[in-house]
């Protein structure tokens, strides 16, 4: 499980907070929301971040074949 240092988590929160309700933001991840706390190291910060990200958002789940896997199979 990868963890960001507290400074990195705080900086990402600051950037996204400044963009909140002013600019569009696209985030891609292969993690479920429940797993984000382990990455950011703070449940409180993660909850605040997800609160801002999911307010007035469109969540698009893309559950398909991996492009990288498909390419590696094709090369063999």
């Amino acid at each position: 499980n990868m963890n960001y240092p507290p400074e990195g988590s705080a900086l990402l929160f600051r950037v996204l907070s400044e963009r909140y309700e002013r600019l569009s933001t696209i985030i891609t991840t292969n993690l479920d929301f429940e797993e984000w706390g382990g990455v950011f190291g703070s449940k409180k910060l993660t909850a605040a971040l997800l609160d801002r990200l999911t307010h007035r958002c469109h969540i698009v789940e893309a559950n398909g074949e991996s492009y990288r896997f498909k390419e590696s199979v094709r090369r063999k």
Side-chain angles (χ1 to χ4, degrees):
N1 211 5
M2 185 182 102
N3 286 352
Y4 286 116
E7 304 83 24
S9 297
L11 179 60
L12 179 62
F13 179 79
R14 184 172 150 201
V15 168
L16 292 174
S17 290
E18 289 178 10
R19 295 179 63 84
Y20 176 61
E21 290 196 345
R22 294 184 39 226
L23 299 163
S24 297
T25 303
I26 295 176
I27 295 178
T28 63
T29 181
N30 60 349
L31 299 176
D32 291 328
F33 287 138
E34 295 83 30
E35 298 174 80
W36 283 35
V39 174
F40 295 108
S42 164
K43 289 184 180 187
K44 192 178 216 179
L45 180 122
T46 304
L49 182 65
L50 286 173
D51 186 54
R52 284 160 180 77
L53 285 176
T54 58
H55 182 235
R56 297 185 184 171
C57 80
H58 299 281
I59 297 173
V60 178
E61 290 190 43
N63 296 320
E65 286 186 43
S66 166
Y67 174 78
R68 290 181 206 98
F69 179 73
K70 194 162 70 171
E71 281 295 301
S72 66
V73 169
R74 185 185 65 78
R75 282 187 302 221
K76 290 181 182 180

